[in-house]
Amino acid sequence: MANIAQIITRFSLPSVQNRFLIAAKTCQPILYSTSAGTSNLSEDTSVTEPKKGKVSKAMKAYLERAKAHDEFMKVQNLEFKLGKRHLANMMGEDPETFTQDDIDRAIQYLLPSGLYDKKARPMMKPPEEVIPQRKAAEFDETGRPFHSMFYTGRPNYYKMLFDIVGNINNLNAFEDRMIRKQLQPDPTQQIDTSGTEWLKKDVLEKLLLEDISDKEYENFVSAMTRLVQHPYSYRELAFIDQYRKPLLAKTDADQIPKPRLDENGRSFITIYECLRKSARADVTIIAPGSGKITINGEDITYFKDVQPREQVLFPLIFCDMVGKVDVVANVENGGYSGQAGAIRWGIAMGLRSFIDVETMDKMRMAGLLQRDYRRRERKKPGQAGARRKYTWKKR
């Protein structure tokens, strides 16, 4: 290939040479020229390298925090694996096949706890399940945010509200099409929310990885309630189920027993193992009845104080069953407070066989169906009581 500078010298006209010089600068001839005669041309047409984008301060801070978090999680995982190996050796099992269920059983065996709240008991789980998750980067290296709602401060929360409104608009459009076709919604497909509730504020914050205020949580519940009340809300059931949870797990204790008939043809149900502190009771509910309450062969005056009587009557008043059923209870051990609590729980569990589902859900939300496992806290050695300390005297 001929040198571009040699081609330029063949033309004597200045205008033609100027045109070639402009074209040579545009084409960056330094990539092709090797002769000494083109040194001046090469100096004017040097190659410019593309500049790299600067990393923003926000991205630098995020990368530092991410690096520190990764190192912290790495250390925690190593400690968890080491602890699991030690635990397996103490139990005489193979560390390689030691599962999480084996860990829980080993801790329960080696570290028995008298605490009734499961969250307060010792545990050993992978760090990913214990340590809260952290958000991924919401912007690129130049600081440009990925999310369209980044500058709201809570992009995940407002994105959720945006999705709720979008679903409502889609259902409204679908309803308009059904009206034009003169079709009515099927009432049997309406979503049944009994036995479930919206996610609590703290659970929703963990799901969104963002902190929200009480007012924002109320707005979330209001928007979701409006979505559920739509006649065609069943079309968005999968979206709604993401933010609802059952009130109580379905267990054998939740299965409602069927009443039996006595010699007089009345329905009755008996609840055994009614526990409260050291009191033990069994309660029989008879329907229909006149409201008679019998405790160890006596009437409600078996309890001398007003408070235990109110405890016994509370489930009947709550379910509007006063004067409609008879109660026969046998209780032993414990004091009046523990005996009243045991009878109250037995009455509440027995009334499930005589009330509707909606009332039973209200009872569950009021805590009537939850067994009370509280106990008197023991006295500690070196102290005056469970929490009370001896008076300190300097002299």
Side-chain angles (χ1 to χ4, degrees):
M1 181 181 296
N3 195 319
I4 296 178
Q6 295 176 358
I7 297 175
I8 294 175
T9 55
R10 295 179 184 179
F11 296 90
S12 58
L13 295 177
S15 60
V16 177
Q17 292 181 359
N18 291 336
R19 292 177 183 177
F20 272 103
L21 286 175
I22 295 173
K25 291 180 180 180
T26 305
C27 297
Q28 296 182 354
I30 191 172
L31 299 177
Y32 307 99
S33 175
T34 57
S35 62
T38 60
S39 59
N40 295 333
L41 187 62
S42 300
E43 292 176 359
D44 296 337
T45 59
S46 59
V47 179
T48 58
E49 297 181 357
K51 296 183 179 180
K52 295 182 179 180
K54 295 183 179 180
V55 179
S56 63
K57 294 182 179 179
M59 177 55 73
K60 289 181 179 179
Y62 170 78
L63 292 176
E64 292 176 358
R65 292 194 302 268
K67 183 178 179 181
H69 179 77
D70 293 340
E71 293 177 354
F72 172 75
M73 293 298 295
K74 184 178 179 181
V75 173
Q76 295 299 320
N77 279 306
L78 290 176
E79 292 180 354
F80 172 76
K81 293 179 180 178
L82 181 62
K84 184 176 74 171
R85 184 171 292 273
H86 286 322
L87 196 62
N89 292 332
M90 284 189 289
M91 298 300 294
E93 299 187 15
D94 184 10
E96 302 299 334
T97 59
F98 206 61
T99 62
Q100 184 62 40
D101 294 337
D102 298 332
I103 294 175
D104 297 338
R105 285 194 296 268
I107 292 178
Q108 187 177 3
Y109 174 76
L110 297 172
L111 303 172
S113 176
L115 300 174
Y116 291 95
D117 190 353
K118 294 183 179 180
K119 295 182 180 179
R121 297 175 184 175
M123 67 174 181
M124 181 178 175
K125 292 185 177 181
E128 292 79 6
E129 299 181 13
V130 180
I131 301 174
Q133 297 181 359
R134 58 189 305 274
K135 277 188 175 181
E138 299 179 343
F139 41 83
D140 57 13
E141 294 183 356
T142 61
R144 187 186 299 275
F146 298 137
H147 207 289
S148 60
M149 301 180 184
F150 174 79
Y151 293 103
T152 61
R154 299 178 182 85
N156 294 337
Y157 170 76
Y158 287 105
K159 178 63 168 58
M160 177 184 63
L161 295 183
F162 179 81
D163 293 339
I164 295 174
V165 175
N167 292 331
I168 293 176
N169 293 336
N170 293 337
L171 294 180
N172 290 336
F174 180 79
E175 184 180 16
D176 293 339
R177 293 197 298 269
M178 294 297 102
I179 292 175
R180 287 194 293 268
K181 296 180 181 179
Q182 297 182 356
L183 297 177
Q184 297 295 329
D186 187 1
T188 60
Q189 293 185 341
Q190 187 69 24
I191 296 179
D192 183 15
T193 58
S194 60
T196 60
E197 63 178 353
W198 298 116
L199 296 179
K200 298 295 184 182
K201 179 174 175 291
D202 55 344
V203 180
L204 184 63
E205 288 177 341
K206 292 181 181 179
L207 180 63
L208 299 176
L209 300 178
E210 296 174 352
D211 295 333
I212 59 177
S213 63
D214 295 337
K215 183 63 176 178
E216 290 171 336
Y217 178 74
E218 292 177 1
N219 293 337
F220 156 74
V221 174
S222 177
M224 291 298 296
T225 303
R226 182 180 176 185
L227 176 61
V228 171
Q229 292 176 350
H230 197 281
Y232 294 99
S233 59
Y234 60 87
R235 295 175 58 86
E236 303 295 341
L237 180 60
F239 177 80
I240 295 173
D241 287 343
Q242 297 177 6
Y243 303 100
R244 294 194 69 85
K245 69 170 186 177
L247 291 173
L248 288 177
K250 297 298 182 182
T251 60
D252 295 337
D254 293 329
Q255 296 178 1
I256 302 175
K258 295 182 179 180
R260 294 179 294 173
L261 298 178
D262 59 7
E263 60 277 4
N264 298 325
R266 297 192 302 174
S267 301
F268 75 95
I269 188 72
T270 302
I271 304 298
Y272 298 96
E273 293 297 326
C274 304
L275 314 177
R276 175 71 179 99
K277 295 184 179 178
S278 59
R280 301 292 182 268
D282 58 84
V283 179
T284 302
I285 308 294
I286 305 173
S290 58
K292 183 180 179 180
I293 299 177
T294 305
I295 302 173
N296 288 349
E298 304 179 22
D299 57 6
I300 198 171
T301 57
Y302 170 84
F303 295 113
K304 308 304 180 184
D305 297 333
V306 176
Q307 184 175 2
R309 299 178 186 178
E310 292 178 348
Q311 290 291 314
V312 172
L313 292 174
F314 180 67
L316 300 172
I317 297 174
F318 188 88
C319 300
D320 193 21
M321 298 293 286
V322 177
K324 300 179 181 179
V325 295
D326 293 338
V327 178
V328 179
N330 298 311
V331 62
E332 60 182 4
N333 300 334
Y336 288 146
S337 177
Q339 291 181 356
I343 295 174
R344 165 186 157 167
W345 184 82
I347 293 175
M349 296 297 289
L351 288 176
R352 297 178 304 164
S353 303
F354 305 100
I355 59 177
D356 55 7
V357 177
E358 183 178 357
T359 305
M360 187 170 60
D361 291 337
K362 293 180 180 179
M363 291 179 64
R364 184 180 289 110
M365 296 181 67
L368 287 172
L369 304 181
Q370 177 64 38
R371 193 188 293 272
D372 193 349
Y373 291 101
R374 293 179 297 173
R375 297 290 189 275
R376 175 186 175 89
E377 187 175 353
R378 56 155 290 183
K379 178 188 178 300
K380 310 301 189 303
Q383 298 180 185
R387 304 289 179 89
R388 185 178 178 84
K389 308 297 189 296
Y390 291 119
T391 303
W392 179 80
K393 294 181 180 180
K394 185 174 183 180
R395 293 179 180 85

